[in-house]
Amino acid sequence: MQWLAKLMYGRYGTDALGFFMLILVLILDVIFTFTGWDILYLFSFLLAVWCIWRIFSRNISRRYAENQKFMQVFSPVQNMIVSKISGARDLKTHRHFRCPSCKQKIRVPRGRGKIQITCPKCGQEFIKKS
């Protein structure tokens, strides 16, 4: 493993953008396997080459800036996905509502009948069936 450490010394390495690109390469390869569209294979190959080039790049500041721009775009999408997954986990025990005034997401337990819900953010009260 010492040879790998020496090889990567002074190089950028992996980051969130590189990981995303590798996942995209795998997805495109699977789609290519089922469809046979050569353009997908070519795009997947070029994306993999670009990803490997970024990993071995010595221009660390530029790769870091690329990753920061990617994270600005991807973070809201990632947060939305995580929110949907965590909301789906407790669907059997809780209901989720949005405050009519500030749109804050509120989680209340199921099976309580009609209840008065007070928004913790703005204090708006509304009645819903849980």
Side-chain angles (χ1 to χ4, degrees):
M1 281 305 195
Q2 194 69 350
W3 64 271
L4 183 59
K6 287 180 182 178
L7 175 69
M8 292 306 293
Y9 183 76
R11 304 201 186 260
Y12 184 66
T14 59
D15 57 5
L17 176 58
F19 185 71
F20 178 79
M21 289 180 358
L22 285 176
I23 296 296
L24 189 60
V25 165
L26 292 174
I27 291 170
L28 290 176
D29 283 344
V30 168
I31 294 172
F32 166 73
T33 302
F34 290 115
T35 62
W37 296 341
D38 292 334
I39 191 74
L40 286 179
Y41 181 75
L42 178 64
F43 183 68
S44 172
F45 178 76
L46 292 175
L47 194 60
V49 168
W50 184 32
C51 182
I52 292 169
W53 176 76
R54 287 186 79 251
I55 289 171
F56 287 104
S57 174
R58 290 186 184 265
N59 193 347
I60 294 173
S61 60
R62 181 168 279 180
R63 301 296 86 78
Y64 180 77
E66 290 170 354
N67 188 52
Q68 289 299 93
K69 287 179 186 175
F70 169 75
M71 290 306 293
Q72 286 177 348
V73 173
F74 187 68
S75 288
V77 175
Q78 182 182 13
N79 292 340
M80 182 190 68
I81 292 170
V82 168
S83 172
K84 295 293 182 188
I85 290 172
S86 67
R89 283 188 187 143
D90 64 355
L91 281 178
K92 291 182 180 178
T93 58
H94 291 84
R95 296 246 354 233
H96 297 263
F97 297 105
R98 292 257 179 214
C99 174
S101 63
C102 70
K103 307 300 183 210
Q104 171 71 32
K105 187 176 176 182
I106 303 167
R107 185 179 84 141
V108 297
R110 282 189 178 270
R112 306 285 180 170
K114 275 191 173 180
I115 59 173
Q116 183 174 352
I117 303 168
T118 304
C119 177
K121 185 175 180 183
C122 68
Q124 172 79 24
E125 295 181 352
F126 55 98
I127 297 176
K128 291 285 185 175
K129 183 179 177 186
S130 69

